[in-house]
């Protein structure tokens, strides 16, 4: 049967074909074989193939390492069983026929019929992909599956468009972007990112066993609880360096769901898209529903290569200004220093200190507008507090410019306090159910961005703010999730469209603002890392992973983050010690080195820093500017993970041209005077020579000043780390 075919076929070809292809990075190749009806998409070292069987069903044929062009892939098996489609690796299963497995699309028709069986109609090849049109057995329901493959990384972008060409409205009750089928096996290991506020992106791992694992958000936004991302390793032997890993990321900032399912025949499929929970999207005749994009890739070289492929892809194809987004400037943010107590004088004082240590962007956080003295009032009233800033923001902005920095401002456009002018004027603008209490979180409600009036209002407010003031950057916050998700203004049958229309409204607002102000940069923050996904990353320049700024906790958060997202977008601030989250005390050097593994920022009360602190900060920021393009845009190697209570961790970044490598090492706690383990760098040229230079800390005595890449990779770097929370970093420069 198909199961055997898929498994045997994939494994057999892997053994025979892949080794020849690894390392080759040819252009994308798209083909369709009219005899076998098989489509093949290859890019980088990856290949994806699917085909049309004799009944017109679309089935996955292969997903793995790149194959030889001459390899012939068989036609998918004809299905001939009663519950035929349950057993077959369907590319995009409609809920109908005998389907018991997870469906990609479920529809209820006006006459009560809910049977949907999709069959191939036609296709259009593009130079980087293919669009395949499917149609229901009898009804004029059309689904176009979109596939695009990246020539360098082999990462696929998949999505679907559902179209109603019938004469009556029908309701879409589940719409996925894609289903991914893997060769049948009981050995898979799933990795995913779970967490909570101030504890985001914790890497979790479990064996894939019969049944489903559901990763999701029901909260209206991406959420802190799970990242819309998965990695599936072929077995438990897969490491950072070796073994086959399939991975995927859903580009959606609203409620989402990814289901990883092993069926009774050990077939594994991953389905992801809009969360079907509380979901209903009526489509009138002629209307369409577009799904988000589900990105997916595969590597033969372990989790490390997976993350490097994702990072490269995100910088080239997701982040604005790709393929070469600008490295992030060193930023200062006032939140932890002044919280809501901002004033012209204290911000100017902080700006002077920030400029003196080498900061390039000064960002004033919450507290600058209307009656905002705490989190109970003023949110939504986006005019400057004249008591705090009698002449508006201009004097502060001019001062920041005179100090050689650009200026950024905190906003939280989607939310309002109950105690605000805007809420008093437009109580019906919030998401709510009529006549029912609306829950508050942080004393605030969520505006309904599906309402055109709200969108227009927010555009006008933000546009005026950015036009009237020389603002280079907005930190766009969203400090709560939805509750009581009602949209009473919409017809009853359409109210659940909120889950889609809100996010579209949010994206449209970001897009419009960027179009009008092309130089404006934006950070996505949501009470820390509550809105990090490839959807929002396409419209913002950076993200805030967590409100937890403790440098030791951050090692874990950053480690998890790096599995799914590029460090270019990962902001990391140096804040005061003891840290506000856990009162842990750490040295300033340790805090800098923790943050220098991402896009560096400062969030401390600099007016309280000693002359020695200032000198340390100036030194570290100078060092950071020398390595930042390597850290943000180079290749990351997670040498030793900070997970599992490990006492030691180490990361390495290698620049795109291979000329610079940076190694960081962190000791949590030393016992019995044991020396810290060595860091074994990777990705160096074994034959080239590299000189070593300390960024911070020391290497053990006897370390040579220059040595071959082979030496550094095999003998390693022995940092002298002692006591608790000790850290060091070194730069390796390749000799010309
Ligand atoms: C959220 C953010 C913080 C800060 C505050 C301001 O908690 O994550 O960084 O901006 O809001 O109210």
């Amino acid at each position: 049967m198909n199961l055997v075919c898929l498994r045997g076929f994939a494994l057999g070809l892997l053994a025979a074909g892949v080794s020849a292809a690894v390392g080759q990075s040819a252009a994308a190749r798209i083909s369709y074989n009219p005899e076998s009806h098989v489509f093949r998409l290859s890019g980088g070292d990856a290949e994806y193939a699917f085909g049309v069987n004799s009944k017109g069903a679309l089935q996955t044929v292969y997903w793995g390492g790149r194959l030889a062009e001459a390899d012939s892939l068989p036609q998918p098996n004809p299905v001939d069983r009663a519950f035929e489609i349950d057993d077959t690796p369907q590319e995009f299963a409609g809920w109908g026929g005998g389907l018991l497995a997870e469906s990609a699309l479920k529809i209820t028709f006006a006459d009560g019929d809910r049977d949907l069986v999709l069959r191939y109609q036609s296709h259009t090849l593009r130079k980087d992909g293919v669009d395949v049109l499917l149609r229901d057995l009898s009804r004029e329901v059309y689904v176009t599956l979109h596939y695009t493959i990246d020539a360098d990384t082999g990462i696929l972008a998949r999505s679907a468009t559902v179209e109603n060409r019938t004469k009556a409205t029908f309701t879409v009750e589940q719409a996925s972007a894609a289903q991914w089928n893997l060769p049948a096996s009981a050995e898979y290991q799933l990795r995913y990112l779970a967490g909570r506020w101030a504890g985001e992106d914790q890497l979790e791992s479990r064996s894939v066993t019969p049944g489903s694992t559901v990763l999701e958000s029901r909260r209206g936004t991406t959420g802190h609880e799970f990242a819309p991302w998965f990695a599936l390793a072929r077995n438990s032997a897969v490491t950072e360096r070796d073994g086959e890993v399939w991975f995927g990321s859903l580009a959606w900032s609203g409620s989402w769901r990814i289901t990883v399912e092993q069926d009774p025949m050990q077939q594994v499929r991953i389905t992801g898209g809009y969360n079907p929970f509380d979901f209903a999207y009526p489509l009138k005749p002629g209307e369409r529903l577009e799904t988000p994009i589900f990105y997916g890739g595969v590597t033969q070289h372990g989790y490390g290569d997976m993350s490097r492929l994702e990072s490269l892809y995100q910088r080239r194809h997701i982040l604005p200004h790709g393929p070469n987004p600008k490295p992030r400037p060193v930023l200062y943010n006032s939140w932890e220093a002044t919280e809501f107590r901002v004033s012209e004088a204290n911000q100017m004082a902080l700006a002077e200190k920030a400029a003196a240590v080498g900061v390039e962007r000064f960002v004033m956080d919450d507290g600058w507008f209307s009656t905002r003295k705490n989190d109970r009032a003023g949110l939504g009233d986006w005019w400057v507090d004249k008591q705090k800033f009698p002449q508006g923001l201009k004097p502060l902005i001019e001062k920041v410019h005179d100090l050689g920095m650009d200026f950024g401002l905190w906003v939280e456009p989607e939310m309002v306090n109950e105690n605000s002018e805007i809420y008093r004027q437009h109580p019906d603008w919030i998401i709510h159910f009529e006549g029912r209490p609306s829950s508050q979180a942080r004393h605030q409600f969520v505006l309904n961005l599906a309402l055109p009036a709200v969108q227009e209002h927010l555009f006008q407010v933000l546009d005026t703010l950015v036009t009237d003031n020389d603002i280079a950057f907005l930190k766009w916050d969203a400090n709560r999730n939805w509750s009581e998700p009602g949209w009473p203004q919409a017809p009853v049958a359409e109210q659940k469209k909120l889950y889609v229309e809100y996010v579209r409204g949010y994206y449209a607002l970001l897009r419009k603002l960027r179009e009008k102000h092309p130089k404006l940069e934006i950070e996505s923050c949501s009470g820390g890392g509550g809105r990090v996904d490839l959807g929002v990353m396409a419209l913002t320049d950076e993200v805030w992973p967590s409100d937890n700024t403790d440098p030791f906790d951050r090692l874990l958060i950053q480690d998890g983050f790096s599995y799914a997202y590029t460090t270019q977008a990962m902001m990391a601030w140096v804040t005061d010690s003891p840290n506000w989250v856990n009162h842990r005390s750490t040295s300033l050097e340790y805090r800098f080195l923790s943050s220098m593994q991402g896009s560096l920022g400062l969030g401390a009360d600099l007016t309280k820093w000693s002359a020695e602190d200032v000198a340390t900060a100036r030194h570290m920021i100078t060092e950071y500017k020398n390595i930042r393009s390597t850290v943000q845009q180079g290749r990351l190697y997670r040498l030793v993970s900070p997970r599992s209570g490990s006492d030691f961790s180490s990361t390495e970044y290698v620049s795109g041209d291979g000329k610079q490598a940076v190694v960081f090492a962190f000791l949590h706690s030393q016992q019995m005077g044991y020396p810290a383990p060595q860091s074994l760098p990777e990705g160096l040229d074994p034959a080239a020579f590299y000189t070593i230079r300390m960024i911070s800390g020391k290497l053990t005595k006897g370390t040579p000043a220059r040595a071959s890449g082979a030496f550094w990779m095999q003998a390693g770097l022995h940092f002298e780390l002692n006591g608790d929370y000790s850290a060091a970093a070194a730069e390796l420069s390749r000799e010309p």
Side-chain angles (χ1 to χ4, degrees), residues 539-557:
L539 293 161
T540 54
D541 303 87
E542 60 191 49
V543 298
W544 181 230
S546 180
D547 282 348
N548 185 341
T549 51
D550 172 74
F552 177 64
D553 284 0
R554 267 294 174 122
L555 296 182
L556 271 178
I557 293 171

Side-chain angles (χ1 to χ4, degrees), residues 391-699:
Q391 267 99 64
L393 297 176
K394 284 217 164 69
L396 173 61
I397 296 178
E398 275 166 20
K399 169 95 179 172
V400 165
H401 289 166
D402 290 348
L403 288 165
M405 301 180 289
D406 67 23
F407 182 78
L409 196 62
W410 179 94
V411 287
E412 192 178 2
E414 298 152 89
M415 313 274 162
V416 293
N417 281 124
E418 186 172 23
N419 184 4
S420 66
E421 283 307 311
I422 191 76
Y423 180 70
R424 281 186 280 276
Q425 279 169 28
H426 301 285
D428 56 331
W429 275 9
I430 64 164
I431 290 175
H432 69 288
F433 289 122
E434 211 67 90
R436 304 284 303 173
S438 292
S439 304
Q440 295 192 24
R442 215 191 187 206
H443 315 286
Q444 61 199 53
F445 299 123
V446 183
L447 289 176
N448 183 350
L449 265 69
L451 293 171
V454 171
Q455 279 188 42
E456 277 157 34
H457 166 76
L458 291 180
F459 179 72
Q460 188 264 323
V461 164
L462 294 167
D463 180 37
T464 307
L465 201 59
V466 178
T467 306
D468 291 356
N469 301 286
D470 195 345
I471 291 175
F473 171 83
L474 290 176
K475 172 177 169 183
W476 185 307
D477 213 334
N479 272 308
R480 60 158 295 182
N481 296 109
W482 301 4
S483 57
E484 299 93 13
W487 178 7
Q489 294 91 332
V492 172
E494 311 236 334
Q495 290 182 2
K496 291 181 183 171
K497 282 168 74 174
L498 182 65
Y499 289 101
V500 175
E501 300 308 318
Y502 179 101
V503 182
R504 286 186 178 164
Y506 165 63
Y507 286 164
L509 194 54
L510 284 168
R511 208 171 282 126
K512 207 166 151 192
L513 204 59
R514 294 193 77 108
E515 269 163 23
K516 177 100 188 276
H517 304 278
K519 290 198 180 134
L520 180 71
E521 297 194 333
I522 303 176
E523 174 179 289
S524 170
C525 173
S526 178
R531 191 153 56 191
V532 178
D533 60 80
L534 298 194
V536 74
M537 282 168 72
L539 293 161
T540 54
D541 303 87
E542 60 191 49
V543 298
W544 181 230
S546 180
D547 282 348
N548 185 341
T549 51
D550 172 74
F552 177 64
D553 284 0
R554 267 294 174 122
L555 296 182
L556 271 178
I557 293 171
Q558 294 176 175
D559 179 73
F561 185 100
S562 76
Y563 273 79
Y565 305 114
T566 174
T567 41
Q568 156 105 27
M570 183 182 80
M571 295 309 296
W573 303 346
V574 172
T575 59
D576 281 315
S577 176
N579 188 270
W580 73 275
V581 172
N582 49 22
H583 309 290
R584 179 181 282 129
S585 295
T586 49
S587 70
L588 190 53
E589 285 84 352
Y590 185 91
R591 280 174 272 152
F592 261 102
L593 292 175
S594 172
S595 297
M596 282 161 71
Q597 296 171 101
S599 289
L600 179 67
L602 260 61
D605 186 350
L606 304 181
T607 60
K608 301 215 172 86
W609 276 14
S610 66
E612 195 190 332
D613 290 340
V614 169
T616 302
R618 200 179 291 134
H619 165 74
M620 294 301 243
I621 291 173
T622 307
E623 288 288 353
Y624 181 71
K625 288 175 183 168
N626 173 45
I627 59 168
R628 81 168 131 196
S629 53
T630 298
V631 168
Q632 296 182 19
Q633 306 184 330
R635 293 187 290 275
L636 166 65
Y637 295 87
R638 291 177 291 253
L639 304 182
V640 183
S641 164
R643 267 174 288 121
S644 334
S646 146
D647 261 347
F648 176 77
S649 66
S650 185
T651 59
E652 181 202 10
Y653 302 79
V654 181
S655 63
D657 62 10
K659 288 186 182 157
Q660 186 185 51
V662 187
V663 181
F664 292 88
F666 299 85
L667 182 70
H668 174 195
S669 187
Q670 187 183 37
Q671 289 192 305
M672 313 303 161
Y674 290 125
Q678 80 249 61
S679 299
L680 294 167
E682 295 177 38
L684 305 179
D685 175 355
F689 270 72
Y690 296 79
T691 46
I692 192 157
R693 192 183 66 80
M694 291 312 291
I695 293 169
S696 178
K698 284 190 202 141
L699 288 158

Side-chain angles (χ1 to χ4, degrees), residues 6 103 116 148 170 176 347 366 433 453 504 540 583 600 664:
L6 183 69
S103 55
L116 180 72
T148 302
F170 61 67
S176 306
Q347 297 306 294
D366 200 350
F433 289 122
R504 286 186 178 164
T540 54
H583 309 290
L600 179 67
F664 292 88

Side-chain angles (χ1 to χ4, degrees), residues 107-113 139-142 162-172 281-288 494:
I107 291 177
T108 291
F109 296 98
D111 57 7
D113 184 347
R139 296 189 189 250
E140 299 280 300
V141 178
Y142 286 83
V162 184
E163 191 183 348
N164 182 358
R165 291 194 211 161
T166 73
K167 297 200 164 47
T169 299
F170 61 67
T171 302
V172 179
Y281 200 101
L283 280 184
K284 299 195 183 90
E287 284 186 343
R288 294 163 180 223
E494 311 236 334

